[in-house]
Amino acid sequence: MRLLVLAAVAATVLLLQGSAARAAGREGPSGWEPIKDLSDPHVREIAEFAVNKHNDDAQTKLALDKVVKGETVGFLGTIYKLIVEVKDGANPKSYEAVVWDGKLVRFLFLFKAVEGNV
C-alpha cells in the first residue's frame, strides 16, 4: 500500500512538472518518450484498462475505439499518458488518460475529456 501511495505522489509531481514546463514553452519532465507503436497490444490493454476503470467509477458505457497519441515515462513501473478516442453510443469523444502500470497493479490517475484537436 505504501508503494502505491508513493507512486501516486511521484506521478502527480511528474505530471505537475510537465504541465508547468509546457505552460512555460518547454517540453515535459525529463524522460517522457512518445509511444512509437500506438497499436501495440500492451498499449491497447492499458487504454482498455483506463476506459473500463472510468466506466466502473462513473457508471458510463464508453467503448474504446483507438489510441490517438501517447507518451510514457519510467517510474517504479511505467506511467502512460494517452489520448484515446472512445464511442459514447454513436458519438466519438476524446479523453486523456494517465495510467501507472506497476509490476503487480495498475492505477488510473486521470481520465478527462479533451476539447478541440489533439
Side-chain angles (χ1 to χ4, degrees), residues 7-64:
V9 169
T12 301
V13 169
L14 284 172
L15 291 171
L16 291 174
Q17 284 178 341
S19 297
R22 284 193 182 96
R26 299 186 320 266
E27 285 300 313
S30 176
W32 283 105
E33 294 288 332
I35 297 173
K36 294 178 181 144
D37 183 5
L38 296 173
S39 61
D40 179 278
H42 188 70
V43 174
R44 177 87 183 182
E45 182 182 324
I46 296 295
E48 287 280 2
F49 167 81
V51 172
N52 291 337
K53 179 69 171 133
H54 172 75
N55 282 340
D56 290 345
D57 293 346
Q59 297 183 351
T60 57
K61 294 183 180 183
L62 302 177
L64 178 65

Side-chain angles (χ1 to χ4, degrees), residues 51 54-55 59-65 85-95:
V51 172
H54 172 75
N55 282 340
Q59 297 183 351
T60 57
K61 294 183 180 183
L62 302 177
L64 178 65
D65 186 22
E85 192 171 288
V86 302
K87 291 194 176 163
D88 186 6
N91 301 322
K93 295 181 179 179
S94 294
Y95 286 85

